[in-house]
Amino acid sequence: MRAVPGAQDPAGITGPSAEDPATCPFVPSDVAQAPGAGGLRTAPGHRGPDDPPSLGAPGTDRDPYPLYRTLRTSYPLVHDEAFGAWLISRYGDVRAALADPRLVAPPPGRTLAHLEDRTHDAHRALLQPALRGRALAALRAGVERAAYVLAHRLSERQEADLVAEFCQWLPAVAAVTALGLPHEDTARVREWCRGGLTHLGDGHGDLDAFLRPHVARRRARPGGDLLSVLSTARADGSHLPDETVVGLAGTLLGAGGEATHLALASFLANLLDHPAQLRLVRERPVLIPAAWVESLRRDPAVHIVLRRALVPVVTGAGTIPAGADVACLVGAAGRDPTRFAVPDRYDILRPAPGQLAFGAGRHRCLGVQLARLTAECALHALLEALPRLRWAPGGRPASAGLVTRGPKTLPVLLG
């Protein structure tokens, strides 16, 4: 294992970056796969006392934060042989890496992040109009309606698990609403989303067969939904091929996947952990967006995002060689004490939380509005329908996971 120990003044990786980049609710293929799932290898093996720390160390999936502190302090750039990538953990380095065009999403994959610049920008331009104006207003109405239905179904109950009965459903409903798909198909779409829909034109075969007739109908009679925007969009005078439309729709349906429901679960857990802050957002709903962003900073659903260096990349802590995989430790960056005061604390009044969840720069995901909208509508609905919402005895279950992380259950009392 190669390490570049504690540089005194680690500058960010050179390249464009932006403060407080937008977040993305989808899990692209550049997010590291869990060990043993076909992603980067982890094989801790026999380690000596002087070996640098590794993500493959026992117990890291249960509590990665001690390791993150060691990496930020002493190993801001280190090659983790067990994990198969260079690790970067400080806020400035991670922010710059996520925005650096020399660090690209690694193959295999055909997500938006993998497209060539001109094609990527063209597809981004096609998606953006669907998330503003009348289309955004219609989307908000649909997501609000879904959130209130789910929340009010719980209002006669005494207790519930908000993950199983709310968080796992609402993001899928939001994605179905955005695309204008039949709501009776939400359960089926949710299962596809949970399986991971990340590749342009390479989606699930059943999903492809499901979407193509809807694309044909939208071409003939478009509406105001996102699928209509994609189905009727033209590039070089021609409609996008069906496979491209289906692939883009599948990418957006990833909003119903694990990462989004884990982010929503962590958001609710953080507020339940802090009743005074929960009361504050109840009294001042204008603070809900800040509460969401602060939760993404402190507890992102995706802790590790992968990049691959096209050329040698010089950082303040050392040089990443060309062709190397780079693990951007978003979970470590969000709690960097050189960037955030008392970084482990959840504080909805924190100035400029600057979270990096799910990407930056060219890799910023277009679903940020959908994710934020889903979270805001979720909290509004729960606060209205469940005014006595609180933890069940025993409190918050521990989060777990090395790559994606969040509470698997949220046992709450409702009455």
Side-chain angles (χ1 to χ4, degrees), residues 122-123 126 230 232-241 244:
H123 286 170
L126 292 173
L230 297 174
T232 57
R234 291 181 177 271
D236 298 325
S238 301
H239 286 303
L240 295 176
T244 300

Side-chain angles (χ1 to χ4, degrees), residues 352-363:
Q355 50 74 29
L356 298 169
F358 296 87
R362 180 176 180 271
H363 298 276

Side-chain angles (χ1 to χ4, degrees), residues 2 153 176 200 222 240 272 299 313 325 330 371 374 396 401 405 410:
R2 288 168 287 166
R153 284 180 179 176
V176 166
L200 292 167
L240 295 176
L272 288 166
D299 294 292
V313 178
D325 285 320
V330 175
T374 300
R396 176 180 184 162
R405 184 175 179 83
L410 291 179

